[in-house]
Amino acid sequence: ILLLNRCTCMEALRRELTCPVCLELFRQPLALPCQHSLCKPCVDGLLQKSPTASDGEDAVRCFPCPSCRQLAQVSPDCPLQPHRLLANIVARYSSITPPAPLCDMCEEEPGDAATRACVECRVHYCDACFAVCHRMKGPLASHTITVPSATSPDGAAGSRESMCSTHSKEKINMFCLSCDKLICALCKLVGSHNDHQVTDIGAAYKMRRDALTASSKALTDLTASLAAQLSKLESHATDIQVACERSKVELVAELDQLQCIINARKRSLTRDLERHYNTQLAANQRREADCRERLAQFQALTTFAEEALKETAAADHNSFLEFSSLLSERMRAAQQQVPEELTQEALRVDRLINDFSLEKEMLQELDFLKVPGAPEFDVDSCHAVNDSIIVRWNQPARCAVSGYRVSYRVSGASDCVTCPAAAAPAVPSNQTRIDGLQFETTYEVTVVAENMAGVGPASAPLTLTTPPKPPDTPVIDLEECVVERNSVTVV
């Protein structure tokens, strides 16, 4: 409560002091058996609409509680008790802006200002209604009339003594622990509470006050704890939003960089493709130019030969004979210079094939970094040598790995050793050697992969046994060695 502002506290308190039927502050609140409370006028209205559970003067009426729907039974022998604690709290809450008491008997709403209040009837009266409805005669002559007080929920002075609901002339001075009710002395001596455990009101008040104080303190501590949790959750929500924005910026930067790489490769590959086909096109253009030049030469020789053949006059025969041998030589030379026939290989286009299906699949599987899976040992490459173990494993599929950590222990033991240690960098490669082990001992080895996302699960354990310890190197005792003429004795 200390952590809430005053407005929120008062609003919460008003909700607790509001009748669930009329939705107003409790007026003359009565306690139901289910521990909920209702205004006395609201209870009277519910009783008028409720059926009776029995006939006769002692008819029992029942109605469901508006809050929990539990049936509340009311009879003349078992009336609902006033909830004085709740009434006092309502009075203190209302005292912030205390309303002027109004007459409860006036026919018009709202009634006139009340000038009198009857303790027994628990009703406010104006002068006119008091003269008509509460003449001080007969049974009414013994009623206590007081000045109405805004702080008294029963229309009487707050300092008056409470009277027993069973023995109307007896003051309440005891509390029944068995029934959890206020009673008088007659209720204990000759009434229905004669065999119940009772105590005086002061002791009961102290006991209930201590219990309520403890509960209030526990609730206050719980409220503080919940407020602290709420503060942490709000801070955590802020951290999540900041992390989201930061991750979004990093993601866009990475994708933009990837897009830049793709665009750069696009330009580079386009240049390589154009260079490749331009080289083929240039070679083809050279062959085409050579072919055109020879074709023009052949056409010129053919045209010249046809014109020479048209010379039929006798005077030109001498000239024809002089130049025919030269023309024939040129034509024979031209025929020898005919290029080779174009083959299919010469006409083949050397195409560049682009297949980016693997890259497309990788791009489609672009995702955030995840914890790597469990590596698998390459059993055929793992073995023990003297007091060492050499292990090799395969990288987890389709995930990035920044390093590995290998753990080993003697088979059956609970303690294990991790190498490298947690503070040291992880093993970057997929193999390692563990030295300084015991000879002729069986070890269980596991390996985990890690990256920036975290440490993955451990691999299936690999069992390896170191060989027996080799014999020590013998030492020659020179003092015991004997050298003879044809032999040497070494000890």
Side-chain angles (χ1 to χ4, degrees), residues 208 247 435:
R208 291 299 176 86
S247 299
D435 298 318

Side-chain angles (χ1 to χ4, degrees), residues 47 51 64 92 128 164-165 203 207 212 352-353 421 463 484:
L47 289 176
R92 285 197 296 272
C164 179
S165 60
M207 178 178 64
L212 184 60
L352 292 178
I353 306 300
T463 302
E484 298 178 353

Side-chain angles (χ1 to χ4, degrees), residues 97-243:
T97 54
L102 301 177
C103 178
D104 297 326
M105 303 304 293
C106 289
E107 294 183 359
E108 296 182 358
E109 294 290 344
D112 296 334
T115 58
R116 294 178 177 85
C118 178
V119 174
E120 284 74 18
C121 297
R122 301 176 182 176
V123 178
H124 288 110
Y125 296 96
C126 62
D127 291 337
C129 293
F130 184 78
V132 176
C133 303
H134 201 292
R135 295 182 179 182
M136 300 301 290
K137 295 181 179 180
L140 301 180
S142 61
H143 286 196
T144 305
I145 304 301
T146 65
V147 178
S149 172
T151 60
S152 175
D154 294 336
S159 60
R160 68 176 179 84
E161 296 288 345
S162 300
M163 309 304 289
C164 179
S165 60
T166 304
H167 308 93
S168 58
K169 296 183 179 181
E170 293 293 327
K171 298 178 180 179
I172 293 175
N173 53 14
M174 294 184 182
F175 184 78
C176 179
L177 298 176
S178 301
C179 300
D180 199 21
K181 293 176 59 176
L182 291 167
I183 62 174
C184 65
L186 290 180
C187 292
K188 173 60 179 175
L189 294 175
V190 297
S192 59
H193 302 272
N194 58 350
D195 56 347
H196 292 179
Q197 183 180 1
V198 299
T199 184
D200 62 277
I201 292 180
Y205 170 77
K206 185 179 183 306
M207 178 178 64
R208 291 299 176 86
R209 183 180 178 83
D210 293 343
L212 184 60
T213 300
S215 299
S216 177
K217 183 180 181 305
L219 189 59
T220 301
D221 295 341
L222 181 60
T223 302
S225 176
L226 289 176
Q229 291 186 21
L230 179 61
S231 177
K232 291 180 180 179
L233 290 174
E234 292 174 348
S235 177
H236 184 56
T238 303
D239 294 341
I240 292 175
Q241 293 175 354
V242 172

Side-chain angles (χ1 to χ4, degrees), residues 297-298 301 328-339:
Q297 181 182 359
F298 291 169
L301 287 174
S328 299
E329 184 66 26
R330 289 180 60 188
M331 295 184 68
R332 283 194 298 270
Q335 292 175 4
Q336 294 177 357
Q337 296 177 1
V338 174

Side-chain angles (χ1 to χ4, degrees), residues 225-271:
S225 176
L226 289 176
Q229 291 186 21
L230 179 61
S231 177
K232 291 180 180 179
L233 290 174
E234 292 174 348
S235 177
H236 184 56
T238 303
D239 294 341
I240 292 175
Q241 293 175 354
V242 172
C244 176
E245 293 300 324
R246 183 183 304 166
S247 299
K248 189 183 299 184
V249 171
E250 294 175 353
L251 174 63
V252 172
E254 289 288 340
L255 292 178
D256 289 344
Q257 186 177 4
L258 187 61
Q259 186 67 42
C260 291
I261 295 175
I262 293 177
N263 291 336
R265 291 301 300 159
K266 176 182 177 181
R267 292 191 295 269
S268 176
L269 291 175
T270 302
R271 287 195 300 268

Side-chain angles (χ1 to χ4, degrees), residues 44-57:
D44 295 340
L46 293 174
L47 289 176
Q48 291 177 1
K49 299 177 182 179
S50 64
T52 58
S54 60
D55 299 331
E57 296 181 356

